[in-house]
Amino acid sequence: MTSDLAKLQTALGYQFKNTQLLKLALTHRSFGADNNERLEFLGDALLDLIVGESLFNNHPAADEGALSRMRSSIVNKSALADIGRELNLGEHILLGSGELKSGGNSRDSILADTVEALAAAVYLDGGLAACQKLVDAWAREFVRNPETRKIKDAKTRLQEKMQASGHGLPKYKVLAIEGEAHAQSFLVECRVEGLERGHQGRGSSKRAAEQQAALETLNSLESALVSG
């Protein structure tokens, strides 16, 4: 568990002074009475605050309604679950045997709740500045350009489309990572059953590149249906 926690802290870019807080953030209620539900509550409020402030500062011409819509498009279960997958949280979450057998470590709701709990744990361990740095890293690209969230929905839409047609899930592969560590560009390929070739996407994070690749794949599938 110690080595796993070290790996996760490296992925987070934050080293806990009190690792018990980190363990608590990773403990689902199915595992026991001492779990991360209270941390989820606090993390939810922190994410709204930090993302809201970032949007306020980055979009001075936006009114209250626009800012609220932007925040809702960034702070939601699907987006937070994607962050959890990028961090490989499924490998670290402590679940009861029933939840584990039913695939709880890959469920959107559990991954999203754990991301919220992690934000709260970092806040309690290192203060608001540490939590803000963490959340800003997660949401930076979408705060700067909330329209990117429209692309983000493509990954969910593609997965649902493949499941509805009885095909396997889309497969994503990183083809290249270019640039310096602080300004990297990711090239990702998406392959699905029913299309002979994969489709590529590029972005400033693996997550963004996957979404772009998913959108290109969706467009190709829709074109194939029209031509067929």
Side-chain angles (χ1 to χ4, degrees), residues 44 47-48 51 70-77 79-80 116:
D44 178 59
L47 285 164
D48 275 349
V51 172
M70 289 180 199
R71 184 174 61 187
S72 295
S73 74
I74 296 168
V75 183
N76 59 62
K77 292 296 182 187
L80 297 180
E116 291 175 342

Side-chain angles (χ1 to χ4, degrees), residues 2 4-5 19-21 79 83 97 99 106 142 157 162 166 195 201 207 212-213 215 219:
T2 302
D4 286 345
L5 291 181
T19 55
Q20 290 304 313
L21 271 172
I83 292 169
S97 58
E99 282 288 359
S106 63
F142 300 124
R157 296 202 321 267
M162 300 311 293
L195 290 179
R207 188 166 72 252
Q212 182 64 57
L215 182 63
N219 290 339

Side-chain angles (χ1 to χ4, degrees), residues 51 55 58-59 62 65-76 79 139-155 157 207-208 211-212 215:
V51 172
L55 288 167
N58 278 271
H59 302 277
L67 289 170
S68 294
R69 288 190 294 274
M70 289 180 199
R71 184 174 61 187
S72 295
S73 74
I74 296 168
V75 183
N76 59 62
R140 185 180 299 118
E141 65 189 272
F142 300 124
V143 165
R144 291 175 180 169
N145 182 19
E147 290 298 307
T148 307
R149 288 299 305 152
K150 292 180 180 178
I151 293 176
K152 187 168 182 56
D153 293 336
K155 194 171 176 183
R157 296 202 321 267
R207 188 166 72 252
Q211 297 299 339
Q212 182 64 57
L215 182 63

Side-chain angles (χ1 to χ4, degrees), residues 40-50:
E40 290 169 24
F41 167 79
L42 179 58
D44 178 59
L46 286 164
L47 285 164
D48 275 349
L49 169 65
I50 294 168

Side-chain angles (χ1 to χ4, degrees), residues 8-223:
L8 177 56
Q9 288 176 94
T10 298
L12 287 171
Y14 180 80
Q15 296 295 313
F16 277 82
K17 296 183 282 291
N18 178 5
T19 55
Q20 290 304 313
L21 271 172
L22 176 55
K23 291 177 182 177
L24 183 62
L26 297 169
T27 304
H28 186 257
R29 65 178 178 270
S30 64
F31 192 81
D34 196 15
N35 57 61
N36 63 10
E37 285 192 324
R38 283 172 53 83
L39 288 176
E40 290 169 24
F41 167 79
L42 179 58
D44 178 59
L46 286 164
L47 285 164
D48 275 349
L49 169 65
I50 294 168
V51 172
E53 182 181 11
S54 294
L55 288 167
F56 182 86
N57 292 331
N58 278 271
H59 302 277
D63 62 20
E64 179 189 4
L67 289 170
S68 294
R69 288 190 294 274
M70 289 180 199
R71 184 174 61 187
S72 295
S73 74
I74 296 168
V75 183
N76 59 62
K77 292 296 182 187
S78 174
L80 297 180
D82 273 352
I83 292 169
R85 291 188 179 93
E86 191 164 302
L87 293 169
N88 291 319
L89 283 188
E91 299 177 4
H92 307 284
I93 299 173
L94 298 175
L95 296 165
S97 58
E99 282 288 359
L100 196 59
K101 288 176 183 176
S102 66
N105 58 353
S106 63
R107 191 171 301 135
D108 274 14
S109 59
I110 291 178
L111 289 169
D113 289 345
T114 306
V115 168
E116 291 175 342
L118 279 173
V122 169
Y123 168 74
L124 294 174
D125 189 73
L128 184 58
C131 183
Q132 189 165 18
K133 182 179 179 182
L134 180 75
V135 175
D136 281 346
W138 290 344
R140 185 180 299 118
E141 65 189 272
F142 300 124
V143 165
R144 291 175 180 169
N145 182 19
E147 290 298 307
T148 307
R149 288 299 305 152
K150 292 180 180 178
I151 293 176
K152 187 168 182 56
D153 293 336
K155 194 171 176 183
T156 299
R157 296 202 321 267
L158 178 60
Q159 178 173 317
E160 291 173 350
K161 188 179 186 70
M162 300 311 293
Q163 288 176 321
S165 61
H167 292 126
L169 295 179
K171 297 184 184 301
Y172 298 91
K173 180 181 179 182
V174 176
L175 299 180
I177 303 175
E178 302 165 351
E180 300 295 327
H182 65 282
Q184 288 184 328
S185 174
F186 291 76
L187 181 65
V188 168
E189 181 182 64
C190 174
R191 285 189 171 273
V192 296
E193 294 177 23
L195 290 179
E196 292 183 5
R197 66 181 185 87
H199 289 76
Q200 297 178 3
R202 187 179 293 276
S204 58
S205 71
K206 177 171 171 282
R207 188 166 72 252
E210 286 178 345
Q211 297 299 339
Q212 182 64 57
L215 182 63
E216 295 296 329
T217 304
L218 270 173
N219 290 339
S220 182
L221 285 169
E222 289 168 5
S223 295

